[in-house]
Amino acid sequence: MRNYPTIAAISTPLGAGAIGIVRMTGQEAITICGGVFQGKCGLEQAGSHTLHYGRIVSPEAGEVIDEVLVSVMKAPGTYTREDMVEVNCHGGPVAQKKILALLLDHGAELAPPGEFTRRAFLNGRIDLAQAESVAQIVSAKTEAALKLAMSQLEGSLSAEIKSLRRGVLSVLGALEAGLDFSDEDIEELNREEAETRLSQIKKCLEELAESAFAGRILSQGVRTAIVGKPNVGKSSLLNAMLMRERAIVTEIPGTTRDTIEEIINVGGVPLQLTDTAGMAPADDIVEQIGVERSRKALKEADLILCLFDGSRREDDHDRALLTSVLPEKTIYIINKCDLFRGRAPSFNRGLLPAQPVLISALTRQGLNELKEKISRLVLGEAFSHTLSPVVTLERHQRLLASASERLLKAQQGLRVGLGEEIISEELRAALTALGEITGEEMMEDLLDEIFREFCVGK
Ligand SMILES: Nc1nc2c(ncn2[C@@H]2O[C@H](COP(=O)(O)OP(=O)(O)OP(=O)(O)O)[C@@H](O)[C@H]2O)c(=O)[nH]1
Ligand SMILES: [Mg+2]
């Protein structure tokens, strides 16, 4: 294990709180803290994983800074696998900053963001994908996001990647054996068999990459656009789902001129709900921009709530809208069903490619059914992934795509009879891409980029 400098940082958010934690890791951590700690016994004699009551005192100024509890944890059974000390002081920025300054004066270095977790990675306690999950746990905004990040921290994704990597390695090994001993009488790798094995690995890679959609939805939410021609009740639906009067509703068509975004929770996963301006030919520049924004929201949406006014006959605007939404990600909704209670809607349902949900944004009728349909359509698919590893980071998705592209080239090479050198080069590139996910292949600048995203003291 390499010997990295001893570092210190404030690990709790700066502000008034009951307790603040100043944290240290490194070979000198216990000695440095021991130099400013006054308690019943010295920290250097303390056993591992013990807690010590005392005071932090500046020996130079003879000044007592705070009353504290210090935990001493000795390598290797720690977060970083190095000696660690955590000073639990009173919350409040002044005490924490003074303690940190004192530790820096006594030989510690200030920790850059993510440095504690980086040490855990550098010292081999966790791999890179696990280290990245720590940042995701800290920033998780939904229970689903937390659950995914925890499962990644426990190594579910890493295990999958490692097993795929072993698969590629074994094909590469067989190929290179053929290469090294090509003069001797060693049986050459059966190309067909190698190709089959690569195609199986590639399929697994692709499935993993596909889980990124579920990963994004579970951790960031479903981008959902409410679209429809003017006056069909889009803003009323937004308000009904939010259960408050967020958007202005009037009987005047063209009331909503700009997109309005709000977040609601459906079955534990957030919907990023966007109310849009009604899609119709625009009279003025403001309306034009509004309609442009509606189109953008429609294009970027994971889920489209396509709304029609059931109390009126369909017209060309409704028909035009139907051609611009993708049925796979659309729920068709007929609104204002309070106006035709018991009778068939005036709007011709036969135009719709799927069974619509009938609602009244005014009386909230049908709203639960709509929410259930949303859960089934989007979340059903997302949740079916929660038992297997899910990709949640764009970096991982990119590397998976690059690895499967290289495998494809290797497969094609095998098929058309290219030389082993060219094929092994592709396989090596695939291995590098996969290795970058778990950090088996690592570059300093990559690490800098990843850990920069962390907060200080983590
Ligand atoms: N009876 C009835 N009226 C509704 C219902 N939903 C909306 N309305 C009325 O329809 C009118 C238009 O509603 P909005 O929610 O502003 O419609 P919109 O689609 O946002 O319209 P734009 O912003 O102009 O595109 C208002 O007068 C609403 O009160 C409903 O379920 N039943
Ligand atoms: Mg509106």
Side-chain angles (χ1 to χ4, degrees):
M1 204 164 90
R2 272 185 38 206
N3 199 358
Y4 300 104
T6 296
I7 49 166
I10 298 172
S11 282
T12 39
L14 274 182
I19 291 169
I21 296 177
V22 183
R23 197 184 200 197
M24 288 174 90
T25 184
Q27 227 173 22
E28 306 295 317
I30 298 172
T31 318
I32 293 174
C33 189
V36 298
F37 175 77
Q38 270 182 0
K40 263 195 183 150
C41 71
L43 294 184
E44 281 175 90
Q45 291 81 51
S48 185
H49 292 76
T50 52
L51 196 61
H52 305 270
Y53 170 75
R55 298 187 299 185
I56 296 290
V57 178
S58 159
E60 293 79 19
E63 178 199 5
V64 176
I65 294 175
D66 199 2
E67 185 186 29
V68 296
L69 275 173
V70 175
S71 36
V72 173
M73 293 162 281
K74 293 189 176 169
T78 67
Y79 186 73
T80 57
R81 285 220 169 140
E82 302 170 339
D83 281 351
M84 288 186 80
V85 170
E86 285 181 6
V87 181
N88 290 246
C89 58
H90 287 109
V94 181
Q96 294 177 71
K97 280 186 181 162
K98 278 192 95 165
I99 294 170
L100 176 65
L102 196 62
L103 296 171
L104 299 182
D105 282 348
H106 283 78
E109 287 180 18
L110 185 64
E115 189 61 22
F116 289 81
T117 308
R118 184 180 180 132
R119 291 279 169 94
F121 164 67
L122 292 174
N123 292 326
R125 191 178 70 80
I126 52 176
D127 69 26
L128 197 52
Q130 289 174 303
E132 286 173 299
S133 71
V134 172
Q136 290 182 291
I137 289 173
V138 175
S139 65
K141 290 184 183 60
T142 66
E143 253 177 68
L146 179 64
K147 214 160 125 187
L148 282 185
M150 266 314 291
S151 130
Q152 190 171 318
L153 178 63
E154 283 172 353
S156 60
L157 178 66
S158 307
E160 181 80 12
I161 298 289
K162 279 179 188 151
S163 123
L164 292 169
R165 216 166 169 261
R166 272 197 302 275
V168 180
L169 258 174
S170 76
V171 177
L172 179 67
L175 257 177
E176 300 210 324
L179 206 64
D180 290 345
F181 304 106
S182 51
D183 301 339
E184 296 164 34
D185 199 18
I186 278 191
E187 196 192 0
E188 270 204 20
L189 174 75
N190 177 342
R191 288 191 158 233
E192 224 168 275
E193 203 178 278
E195 205 199 314
T196 315
R197 267 155 71 186
L198 289 184
S199 110
Q200 283 161 352
I201 299 169
K202 193 167 150 287
K203 189 159 164 270
C204 294
L205 280 179
E206 281 164 1
E207 278 170 12
L208 204 53
E210 275 167 22
S211 75
F213 173 70
R216 185 172 60 71
I217 281 181
L218 288 172
S219 52
Q220 289 164 34
V222 188
R223 286 175 304 211
T224 308
I226 307 176
V227 299
K229 70 178 181 193
N231 220 37
V232 293
K234 298 179 294 298
S235 303
S236 304
L237 176 59
L238 175 87
N239 291 347
M241 290 183 86
L242 283 175
M243 303 224 277
R244 67 189 164 90
E245 300 306 307
R246 168 67 180 87
I248 300 172
V249 167
T250 75
E251 66 288 354
I252 307 163
T255 299
T256 308
R257 302 186 118 204
D258 199 354
T259 47
I260 298 177
E261 284 186 27
E262 283 293 330
I263 294 192
I264 64 159
N265 191 321
V266 174
V269 175
L271 291 195
Q272 289 177 25
L273 209 53
T274 306
D275 176 24
T276 62
M279 302 259 212
D283 296 333
D284 63 44
I285 178 80
V286 182
E287 273 184 15
Q288 266 169 33
I289 297 171
V291 170
E292 217 31 69
R293 290 192 177 179
S294 301
R295 287 194 203 292
K296 186 161 173 275
L298 181 67
K299 213 171 113 211
E300 291 173 353
D302 303 309
L303 173 68
I304 298 164
L305 303 182
C306 189
L307 208 58
F308 302 96
D309 182 343
S311 67
R312 289 167 186 267
R313 297 278 295 269
E314 63 282 357
D315 64 13
D316 289 346
H317 297 321
D318 294 315
R319 284 196 198 88
L321 179 65
L322 276 170
T323 61
S324 59
V325 298
L326 283 176
E328 310 86 82
K329 54 177 188 178
T330 301
I331 294 178
Y332 300 93
I333 304 167
I334 293 184
N335 188 29
K336 307 197 187 181
C337 70
D338 54 291
L339 292 180
F340 52 88
R341 210 173 298 146
R343 287 177 287 122
S346 309
F347 183 90
N348 175 11
R349 275 187 268 192
L351 286 177
L352 305 176
Q355 191 72 11
V357 185
L358 267 63
I359 65 159
S360 164
L362 199 69
T363 66
R364 308 181 50 83
Q365 186 188 330
L367 230 60
N368 283 339
E369 195 196 325
L370 176 61
K371 283 188 182 171
E372 273 164 29
K373 192 150 185 170
I374 293 173
S375 301
R376 272 202 306 279
L377 187 74
V378 196
L379 312 179
E381 200 213 327
F383 276 120
S384 70
H385 279 278
T386 46
L387 290 177
S388 48
V390 173
V391 176
T392 50
L393 288 173
E394 151 90 32
R395 188 181 83 84
H396 296 171
Q397 203 184 349
R398 222 176 37 235
L399 290 166
L400 285 173
S402 138
S404 56
E405 200 176 302
R406 295 301 194 148
L407 290 191
L408 180 68
K409 283 192 182 150
Q411 264 179 289
Q412 288 166 340
L414 282 168
R415 213 171 304 144
V416 301
L418 287 185
E420 270 88 356
E421 295 91 338
I422 300 174
I423 293 161
S424 27
E425 202 173 302
E426 296 297 346
L427 294 183
R428 280 181 189 289
L431 281 173
T432 306
L434 292 178
E436 271 187 41
I437 296 180
T438 49
E440 275 161 272
E441 304 267 348
M442 61 159 181
M443 291 159 285
E444 272 310 306
D445 50 350
L446 168 71
L447 293 186
D448 288 343
E449 197 181 309
I450 289 170
F451 287 103
R452 218 184 352 251
E453 302 291 312
F454 274 65
C455 38
V456 173
K458 188 67 231 182

PDB file of all heavy atoms in Angstrom, residues 334-359:
ATOM      1  N   ILE A 334     -58.812  11.435 -22.694  1.00  0.00           N
ATOM      2  CA  ILE A 334     -59.965  12.245 -23.089  1.00  0.00           C
ATOM      3  C   ILE A 334     -60.472  12.960 -21.836  1.00  0.00           C
ATOM      4  O   ILE A 334     -60.847  12.325 -20.846  1.00  0.00           O
ATOM      5  CB  ILE A 334     -61.054  11.368 -23.722  1.00  0.00           C
ATOM      6  CG1 ILE A 334     -60.507  10.827 -25.049  1.00  0.00           C
ATOM      7  CG2 ILE A 334     -62.327  12.171 -23.947  1.00  0.00           C
ATOM      8  CD1 ILE A 334     -61.490  10.030 -25.847  1.00  0.00           C
ATOM      9  N   ASN A 335     -60.435  14.282 -21.886  1.00  0.00           N
ATOM     10  CA  ASN A 335     -60.760  15.102 -20.710  1.00  0.00           C
ATOM     11  C   ASN A 335     -62.203  15.617 -20.779  1.00  0.00           C
ATOM     12  O   ASN A 335     -62.876  15.471 -21.795  1.00  0.00           O
ATOM     13  CB  ASN A 335     -59.759  16.270 -20.652  1.00  0.00           C
ATOM     14  CG  ASN A 335     -59.889  17.058 -19.361  1.00  0.00           C
ATOM     15  OD1 ASN A 335     -60.274  16.521 -18.322  1.00  0.00           O
ATOM     16  ND2 ASN A 335     -59.582  18.353 -19.415  1.00  0.00           N
ATOM     17  N   LYS A 336     -62.603  16.222 -19.684  1.00  0.00           N
ATOM     18  CA  LYS A 336     -63.918  16.869 -19.534  1.00  0.00           C
ATOM     19  C   LYS A 336     -65.053  15.845 -19.569  1.00  0.00           C
ATOM     20  O   LYS A 336     -66.132  16.123 -20.098  1.00  0.00           O
ATOM     21  CB  LYS A 336     -64.125  17.960 -20.601  1.00  0.00           C
ATOM     22  CG  LYS A 336     -62.971  18.986 -20.650  1.00  0.00           C
ATOM     23  CD  LYS A 336     -63.335  20.262 -21.382  1.00  0.00           C
ATOM     24  CE  LYS A 336     -62.103  21.166 -21.541  1.00  0.00           C
ATOM     25  NZ  LYS A 336     -62.359  22.421 -22.222  1.00  0.00           N
ATOM     26  N   CYS A 337     -64.790  14.649 -19.027  1.00  0.00           N
ATOM     27  CA  CYS A 337     -65.834  13.623 -19.115  1.00  0.00           C
ATOM     28  C   CYS A 337     -67.029  13.946 -18.215  1.00  0.00           C
ATOM     29  O   CYS A 337     -68.082  13.351 -18.349  1.00  0.00           O
ATOM     30  CB  CYS A 337     -65.283  12.221 -18.865  1.00  0.00           C
ATOM     31  SG  CYS A 337     -64.803  11.922 -17.191  1.00  0.00           S
ATOM     32  N   ASP A 338     -66.878  14.957 -17.329  1.00  0.00           N
ATOM     33  CA  ASP A 338     -68.050  15.395 -16.538  1.00  0.00           C
ATOM     34  C   ASP A 338     -69.118  16.008 -17.440  1.00  0.00           C
ATOM     35  O   ASP A 338     -70.294  16.038 -17.089  1.00  0.00           O
ATOM     36  CB  ASP A 338     -67.602  16.416 -15.477  1.00  0.00           C
ATOM     37  CG  ASP A 338     -66.845  17.582 -16.074  1.00  0.00           C
ATOM     38  OD1 ASP A 338     -65.697  17.369 -16.552  1.00  0.00           O
ATOM     39  OD2 ASP A 338     -67.380  18.690 -16.128  1.00  0.00           O
ATOM     40  N   LEU A 339     -68.708  16.478 -18.611  1.00  0.00           N
ATOM     41  CA  LEU A 339     -69.656  17.144 -19.521  1.00  0.00           C
ATOM     42  C   LEU A 339     -70.494  16.144 -20.332  1.00  0.00           C
ATOM     43  O   LEU A 339     -71.483  16.521 -20.936  1.00  0.00           O
ATOM     44  CB  LEU A 339     -68.923  18.085 -20.483  1.00  0.00           C
ATOM     45  CG  LEU A 339     -68.278  19.313 -19.844  1.00  0.00           C
ATOM     46  CD1 LEU A 339     -67.578  20.161 -20.913  1.00  0.00           C
ATOM     47  CD2 LEU A 339     -69.293  20.159 -19.093  1.00  0.00           C
ATOM     48  N   PHE A 340     -70.061  14.899 -20.396  1.00  0.00           N
ATOM     49  CA  PHE A 340     -70.858  13.936 -21.168  1.00  0.00           C
ATOM     50  C   PHE A 340     -71.123  12.680 -20.336  1.00  0.00           C
ATOM     51  O   PHE A 340     -71.186  11.578 -20.856  1.00  0.00           O
ATOM     52  CB  PHE A 340     -70.176  13.594 -22.501  1.00  0.00           C
ATOM     53  CG  PHE A 340     -68.729  13.167 -22.367  1.00  0.00           C
ATOM     54  CD1 PHE A 340     -68.394  11.842 -22.142  1.00  0.00           C
ATOM     55  CD2 PHE A 340     -67.724  14.113 -22.457  1.00  0.00           C
ATOM     56  CE1 PHE A 340     -67.082  11.450 -22.017  1.00  0.00           C
ATOM     57  CE2 PHE A 340     -66.396  13.729 -22.334  1.00  0.00           C
ATOM     58  CZ  PHE A 340     -66.074  12.404 -22.109  1.00  0.00           C
ATOM     59  N   ARG A 341     -71.247  12.914 -19.037  1.00  0.00           N
ATOM     60  CA  ARG A 341     -71.429  11.786 -18.113  1.00  0.00           C
ATOM     61  C   ARG A 341     -72.470  10.792 -18.645  1.00  0.00           C
ATOM     62  O   ARG A 341     -73.572  11.169 -19.006  1.00  0.00           O
ATOM     63  CB  ARG A 341     -71.871  12.319 -16.750  1.00  0.00           C
ATOM     64  CG  ARG A 341     -71.409  11.439 -15.605  1.00  0.00           C
ATOM     65  CD  ARG A 341     -71.712  12.094 -14.290  1.00  0.00           C
ATOM     66  NE  ARG A 341     -71.013  13.366 -14.147  1.00  0.00           N
ATOM     67  CZ  ARG A 341     -71.524  14.409 -13.496  1.00  0.00           C
ATOM     68  NH1 ARG A 341     -72.721  14.337 -12.968  1.00  0.00           N
ATOM     69  NH2 ARG A 341     -70.832  15.519 -13.377  1.00  0.00           N
ATOM     70  N   GLY A 342     -72.071   9.517 -18.730  1.00  0.00           N
ATOM     71  CA  GLY A 342     -73.030   8.487 -19.139  1.00  0.00           C
ATOM     72  C   GLY A 342     -73.170   8.352 -20.652  1.00  0.00           C
ATOM     73  O   GLY A 342     -73.588   7.317 -21.148  1.00  0.00           O
ATOM     74  N   ARG A 343     -72.807   9.419 -21.375  1.00  0.00           N
ATOM     75  CA  ARG A 343     -72.938   9.335 -22.838  1.00  0.00           C
ATOM     76  C   ARG A 343     -71.548   9.139 -23.459  1.00  0.00           C
ATOM     77  O   ARG A 343     -70.532   9.311 -22.778  1.00  0.00           O
ATOM     78  CB  ARG A 343     -73.551  10.630 -23.376  1.00  0.00           C
ATOM     79  CG  ARG A 343     -75.024  10.768 -23.060  1.00  0.00           C
ATOM     80  CD  ARG A 343     -75.568  12.106 -23.552  1.00  0.00           C
ATOM     81  NE  ARG A 343     -75.080  13.203 -22.706  1.00  0.00           N
ATOM     82  CZ  ARG A 343     -74.387  14.239 -23.153  1.00  0.00           C
ATOM     83  NH1 ARG A 343     -74.065  14.327 -24.424  1.00  0.00           N
ATOM     84  NH2 ARG A 343     -73.998  15.198 -22.343  1.00  0.00           N
ATOM     85  N   ALA A 344     -71.534   8.807 -24.730  1.00  0.00           N
ATOM     86  CA  ALA A 344     -70.236   8.673 -25.403  1.00  0.00           C
ATOM     87  C   ALA A 344     -69.666  10.073 -25.645  1.00  0.00           C
ATOM     88  O   ALA A 344     -70.418  11.010 -25.882  1.00  0.00           O
ATOM     89  CB  ALA A 344     -70.411   7.950 -26.734  1.00  0.00           C
ATOM     90  N   PRO A 345     -68.331  10.208 -25.558  1.00  0.00           N
ATOM     91  CA  PRO A 345     -67.756  11.522 -25.843  1.00  0.00           C
ATOM     92  C   PRO A 345     -67.991  11.920 -27.304  1.00  0.00           C
ATOM     93  O   PRO A 345     -68.125  11.063 -28.171  1.00  0.00           O
ATOM     94  CB  PRO A 345     -66.263  11.313 -25.581  1.00  0.00           C
ATOM     95  CG  PRO A 345     -66.041   9.846 -25.571  1.00  0.00           C
ATOM     96  CD  PRO A 345     -67.333   9.210 -25.186  1.00  0.00           C
ATOM     97  N   SER A 346     -68.047  13.226 -27.549  1.00  0.00           N
ATOM     98  CA  SER A 346     -68.203  13.692 -28.933  1.00  0.00           C
ATOM     99  C   SER A 346     -66.936  13.423 -29.730  1.00  0.00           C
ATOM    100  O   SER A 346     -66.974  13.254 -30.947  1.00  0.00           O
ATOM    101  CB  SER A 346     -68.484  15.198 -28.954  1.00  0.00           C
ATOM    102  OG  SER A 346     -69.535  15.484 -28.077  1.00  0.00           O
ATOM    103  N   PHE A 347     -65.810  13.398 -29.024  1.00  0.00           N
ATOM    104  CA  PHE A 347     -64.528  13.116 -29.679  1.00  0.00           C
ATOM    105  C   PHE A 347     -64.505  11.650 -30.119  1.00  0.00           C
ATOM    106  O   PHE A 347     -64.847  10.756 -29.348  1.00  0.00           O
ATOM    107  CB  PHE A 347     -63.387  13.401 -28.700  1.00  0.00           C
ATOM    108  CG  PHE A 347     -62.036  13.214 -29.280  1.00  0.00           C
ATOM    109  CD1 PHE A 347     -61.388  14.266 -29.906  1.00  0.00           C
ATOM    110  CD2 PHE A 347     -61.392  11.971 -29.224  1.00  0.00           C
ATOM    111  CE1 PHE A 347     -60.126  14.091 -30.464  1.00  0.00           C
ATOM    112  CE2 PHE A 347     -60.147  11.794 -29.780  1.00  0.00           C
ATOM    113  CZ  PHE A 347     -59.510  12.862 -30.399  1.00  0.00           C
ATOM    114  N   ASN A 348     -64.109  11.409 -31.348  1.00  0.00           N
ATOM    115  CA  ASN A 348     -64.118  10.051 -31.898  1.00  0.00           C
ATOM    116  C   ASN A 348     -62.906   9.242 -31.408  1.00  0.00           C
ATOM    117  O   ASN A 348     -61.797   9.417 -31.883  1.00  0.00           O
ATOM    118  CB  ASN A 348     -64.126  10.155 -33.422  1.00  0.00           C
ATOM    119  CG  ASN A 348     -64.009   8.782 -34.078  1.00  0.00           C
ATOM    120  OD1 ASN A 348     -64.124   7.754 -33.403  1.00  0.00           O
ATOM    121  ND2 ASN A 348     -63.774   8.779 -35.372  1.00  0.00           N
ATOM    122  N   ARG A 349     -63.182   8.330 -30.461  1.00  0.00           N
ATOM    123  CA  ARG A 349     -62.109   7.521 -29.875  1.00  0.00           C
ATOM    124  C   ARG A 349     -61.400   6.628 -30.879  1.00  0.00           C
ATOM    125  O   ARG A 349     -60.256   6.243 -30.702  1.00  0.00           O
ATOM    126  CB  ARG A 349     -62.691   6.606 -28.784  1.00  0.00           C
ATOM    127  CG  ARG A 349     -62.799   7.268 -27.464  1.00  0.00           C
ATOM    128  CD  ARG A 349     -63.219   6.269 -26.444  1.00  0.00           C
ATOM    129  NE  ARG A 349     -64.678   6.242 -26.309  1.00  0.00           N
ATOM    130  CZ  ARG A 349     -65.295   5.610 -25.325  1.00  0.00           C
ATOM    131  NH1 ARG A 349     -64.614   4.937 -24.436  1.00  0.00           N
ATOM    132  NH2 ARG A 349     -66.601   5.636 -25.238  1.00  0.00           N
ATOM    133  N   GLY A 350     -62.121   6.293 -31.954  1.00  0.00           N
ATOM    134  CA  GLY A 350     -61.566   5.404 -32.974  1.00  0.00           C
ATOM    135  C   GLY A 350     -60.306   5.951 -33.635  1.00  0.00           C
ATOM    136  O   GLY A 350     -59.528   5.205 -34.220  1.00  0.00           O
ATOM    137  N   LEU A 351     -60.090   7.255 -33.498  1.00  0.00           N
ATOM    138  CA  LEU A 351     -58.890   7.857 -34.092  1.00  0.00           C
ATOM    139  C   LEU A 351     -57.623   7.479 -33.343  1.00  0.00           C
ATOM    140  O   LEU A 351     -56.516   7.581 -33.878  1.00  0.00           O
ATOM    141  CB  LEU A 351     -58.991   9.388 -34.021  1.00  0.00           C
ATOM    142  CG  LEU A 351     -59.941  10.111 -34.960  1.00  0.00           C
ATOM    143  CD1 LEU A 351     -59.919  11.594 -34.653  1.00  0.00           C
ATOM    144  CD2 LEU A 351     -59.485   9.861 -36.407  1.00  0.00           C
ATOM    145  N   LEU A 352     -57.783   7.082 -32.088  1.00  0.00           N
ATOM    146  CA  LEU A 352     -56.603   6.880 -31.236  1.00  0.00           C
ATOM    147  C   LEU A 352     -56.036   5.485 -31.416  1.00  0.00           C
ATOM    148  O   LEU A 352     -56.788   4.518 -31.508  1.00  0.00           O
ATOM    149  CB  LEU A 352     -56.983   7.093 -29.766  1.00  0.00           C
ATOM    150  CG  LEU A 352     -57.643   8.434 -29.471  1.00  0.00           C
ATOM    151  CD1 LEU A 352     -58.065   8.527 -28.010  1.00  0.00           C
ATOM    152  CD2 LEU A 352     -56.699   9.575 -29.825  1.00  0.00           C
ATOM    153  N   PRO A 353     -54.705   5.373 -31.449  1.00  0.00           N
ATOM    154  CA  PRO A 353     -54.086   4.055 -31.643  1.00  0.00           C
ATOM    155  C   PRO A 353     -54.182   3.150 -30.422  1.00  0.00           C
ATOM    156  O   PRO A 353     -53.876   1.968 -30.510  1.00  0.00           O
ATOM    157  CB  PRO A 353     -52.625   4.383 -31.956  1.00  0.00           C
ATOM    158  CG  PRO A 353     -52.420   5.788 -31.614  1.00  0.00           C
ATOM    159  CD  PRO A 353     -53.734   6.460 -31.446  1.00  0.00           C
ATOM    160  N   ALA A 354     -54.578   3.700 -29.268  1.00  0.00           N
ATOM    161  CA  ALA A 354     -54.712   2.854 -28.073  1.00  0.00           C
ATOM    162  C   ALA A 354     -55.911   3.328 -27.264  1.00  0.00           C
ATOM    163  O   ALA A 354     -56.398   4.438 -27.460  1.00  0.00           O
ATOM    164  CB  ALA A 354     -53.442   2.940 -27.233  1.00  0.00           C
ATOM    165  N   GLN A 355     -56.342   2.463 -26.367  1.00  0.00           N
ATOM    166  CA  GLN A 355     -57.480   2.769 -25.494  1.00  0.00           C
ATOM    167  C   GLN A 355     -57.168   4.017 -24.655  1.00  0.00           C
ATOM    168  O   GLN A 355     -56.156   4.052 -23.965  1.00  0.00           O
ATOM    169  CB  GLN A 355     -57.688   1.558 -24.564  1.00  0.00           C
ATOM    170  CG  GLN A 355     -58.944   1.571 -23.782  1.00  0.00           C
ATOM    171  CD  GLN A 355     -60.156   1.306 -24.673  1.00  0.00           C
ATOM    172  OE1 GLN A 355     -60.022   0.921 -25.835  1.00  0.00           O
ATOM    173  NE2 GLN A 355     -61.335   1.544 -24.138  1.00  0.00           N
ATOM    174  N   PRO A 356     -58.021   5.056 -24.711  1.00  0.00           N
ATOM    175  CA  PRO A 356     -57.721   6.259 -23.917  1.00  0.00           C
ATOM    176  C   PRO A 356     -58.183   6.125 -22.463  1.00  0.00           C
ATOM    177  O   PRO A 356     -59.000   5.252 -22.146  1.00  0.00           O
ATOM    178  CB  PRO A 356     -58.540   7.339 -24.617  1.00  0.00           C
ATOM    179  CG  PRO A 356     -59.706   6.606 -25.194  1.00  0.00           C
ATOM    180  CD  PRO A 356     -59.231   5.219 -25.536  1.00  0.00           C
ATOM    181  N   VAL A 357     -57.641   6.984 -21.617  1.00  0.00           N
ATOM    182  CA  VAL A 357     -58.139   7.077 -20.236  1.00  0.00           C
ATOM    183  C   VAL A 357     -59.113   8.245 -20.222  1.00  0.00           C
ATOM    184  O   VAL A 357     -58.812   9.322 -20.739  1.00  0.00           O
ATOM    185  CB  VAL A 357     -56.990   7.394 -19.253  1.00  0.00           C
ATOM    186  CG1 VAL A 357     -57.491   7.362 -17.818  1.00  0.00           C
ATOM    187  CG2 VAL A 357     -55.847   6.426 -19.428  1.00  0.00           C
ATOM    188  N   LEU A 358     -60.298   8.035 -19.663  1.00  0.00           N
ATOM    189  CA  LEU A 358     -61.280   9.113 -19.572  1.00  0.00           C
ATOM    190  C   LEU A 358     -61.147   9.804 -18.226  1.00  0.00           C
ATOM    191  O   LEU A 358     -61.189   9.133 -17.184  1.00  0.00           O
ATOM    192  CB  LEU A 358     -62.701   8.549 -19.728  1.00  0.00           C
ATOM    193  CG  LEU A 358     -63.245   8.567 -21.159  1.00  0.00           C
ATOM    194  CD1 LEU A 358     -62.431   7.689 -22.071  1.00  0.00           C
ATOM    195  CD2 LEU A 358     -64.711   8.171 -21.181  1.00  0.00           C
ATOM    196  N   ILE A 359     -60.970  11.118 -18.256  1.00  0.00           N
ATOM    197  CA  ILE A 359     -60.826  11.830 -16.981  1.00  0.00           C
ATOM    198  C   ILE A 359     -61.626  13.133 -16.995  1.00  0.00           C
ATOM    199  O   ILE A 359     -62.092  13.591 -18.044  1.00  0.00           O
ATOM    200  CB  ILE A 359     -59.350  12.218 -16.684  1.00  0.00           C
ATOM    201  CG1 ILE A 359     -58.832  13.226 -17.719  1.00  0.00           C
ATOM    202  CG2 ILE A 359     -58.451  11.020 -16.638  1.00  0.00           C
ATOM    203  CD1 ILE A 359     -57.629  14.021 -17.232  1.00  0.00           C
TER     204      ILE A 359
END
